[in-house]
Amino acid sequence: PRTERSLGSGVIVSPDGYLLTNNHVVDGADEVKVTLEKEKKEYVAKVVGRDPKSDIAVLKIEATGLPAIIFADSDSVEVGDVVLAIGNPSGSGQTLTKGSVSATRRGGRGIEDYEDFIQTDASINPGNSGGALVDAEGRLIGINTAILSRTGGNHGVGFAVPANQARSVMDALIRDGRVSRGFLGVSLQDVDADLAREFKLKEAKGALVADVTEHSAAEAAGIKSGDIIMEFNGKPVADRRQLKLAVGNTPPGSKVDVRL
């Protein structure tokens, strides 16, 4: 039988051996091995849990006293911030590249179900997946996940899962072994300029309800086709992607206010 091997990066998040990486780095693997750069020692890792919808996975190695990264608040990241991407591009060894935040809240790329990427021009190449995107103080702001490239090489457009999202998924995987997301029960479309004029809105914002699922939370709350969701849980809704993220991050069974 032919043995296939793949390579990726990861981030140590606790002194007792928990690591963050991408789901696509470990998906389908019979065995996962982790090598620490300084120790030159190889560990067999246990896959604690995987979440394909956010492309995050959590690993565990039997080790203590590891240097764990500090998490930053990724919601406070701004365009222009200096960032560093750390990983193992093309198996060349631990590498650091420097760049800036090119954009935040990027989505609609079809890479994963829940997209809220930090975009950066720091060089990210194959093998960087699962590695750390850190701020100028070395704090984790994202997990390097994908690049936009026709050739497979770096074109200065890389995407990272925000640290806040990665941490939320990680906590759920460690605690429950899976991620449970809220479900509202609506089909949505964005509000464009034409719809905004039709509904006499000041701005083209919100999420238009195209359909409501039977026996769902939305139906029970009285939401109907043709409604526009303007706020969810006290926060304004810019578009359907933002609403999907907000609903997904809400624990099932929660009660929230929705403004139509």
Side-chain angles (χ1 to χ4, degrees), residues 24 27 34 42 44 55 162 171-172 204 207 212 239 242 246:
H24 75 260
D27 186 22
V34 172
E42 191 173 79
V44 175
D55 200 14
D171 290 343
V212 178
D239 51 34
Q242 189 186 59

Side-chain angles (χ1 to χ4, degrees), residues 78-180:
E78 296 181 347
V79 174
D81 286 352
V82 173
V83 291
L84 308 169
I86 303 171
N88 186 10
S90 304
S92 58
Q94 183 168 295
T95 301
L96 180 147
T97 54
K98 180 182 177 182
S100 61
V101 174
S102 307
T104 59
R105 310 197 76 83
R106 284 290 200 227
R109 301 291 167 184
I111 299 169
E112 55 200 49
D113 289 351
Y114 289 88
E115 296 182 348
D116 194 29
F117 295 127
I118 297 170
Q119 182 181 322
T120 178
D121 61 354
S123 290
I124 295 174
N125 287 287
N128 272 114
S129 289
L133 186 70
V134 303
D135 62 14
E137 297 180 36
R139 301 174 303 176
L140 185 71
I141 63 168
I143 299 294
N144 300 322
T145 296
I147 57 175
L148 195 62
S149 171
R150 293 180 179 177
T151 63
N154 171 59
H155 283 185
V157 184
F159 300 106
V161 176
N164 289 1
Q165 182 182 356
R167 186 169 199 165
S168 175
V169 171
M170 176 187 74
D171 290 343
L173 290 175
I174 293 174
R175 183 180 64 248
D176 305 321
R178 62 189 180 91
V179 179
S180 297

